[in-house]
Amino acid sequence: QTLDDEIYAMREALCNAQMRRNAFAPISIIPPEILARIFEFHSFDCPPASDHNQAPSLGWIASATHVCRHWREVALDHPHLWGRISFAIGPEWTAEMVLRVKTAPISV
């Protein structure tokens, strides 16, 4: 257990160091409102979809939330991104979109 605790502490330290390094990246100076607007444009080009022969694709959701913690926070906290409700990727995602859209306009 002591070794597992030490490994966990090292992973946490590494994660914190990577977050601090990412803060110096040029993309990190873009204000969250502008970044969210970029994500909105991207959501039109890359919507979530389902192909009956393959697993559902999260589309813009994956490309905006799987890059770094900052992008993930911006995407998850911006209700207008979630307004285009998709039924193609399953009921769990549809419910998640409805929760995240809050009071923003919805289109189906």
Side-chain angles (χ1 to χ4, degrees):
Q1 180 64 40
T2 303
L3 285 174
D4 287 340
D5 292 344
E6 190 175 333
I7 290 169
Y8 178 79
M10 287 179 180
R11 285 185 178 152
E12 284 292 309
L14 179 61
C15 183
N16 288 332
Q18 288 171 328
M19 279 189 344
R20 288 195 319 268
R21 181 194 61 205
N22 288 345
F24 291 109
I27 193 77
S28 295
I29 64 169
I30 296 175
E33 299 81 11
I34 303 296
L35 189 57
R37 189 71 172 134
I38 292 168
F39 292 161
E40 282 185 50
F41 287 121
H42 179 55
S43 74
F44 286 101
D45 290 336
C46 193
S50 179
D51 182 348
H52 297 293
N53 300 327
Q54 298 178 2
S57 166
L58 294 178
W60 73 267
I61 298 169
S63 55
T65 63
H66 294 179
V67 173
C68 67
R69 186 174 293 189
H70 174 64
W71 282 28
R72 180 178 178 80
E73 289 172 358
V74 169
L76 294 179
D77 293 341
H78 190 70
H80 289 278
L81 278 171
W82 302 93
R84 292 180 49 214
I85 307 296
S86 173
F87 297 96
I89 53 176
E92 300 87 7
W93 277 104
T94 302
E96 187 67 24
M97 292 174 131
V98 170
L99 285 174
R100 293 200 175 278
V101 76
K102 298 179 183 170
T103 60
I106 295 176
S107 67
V108 179

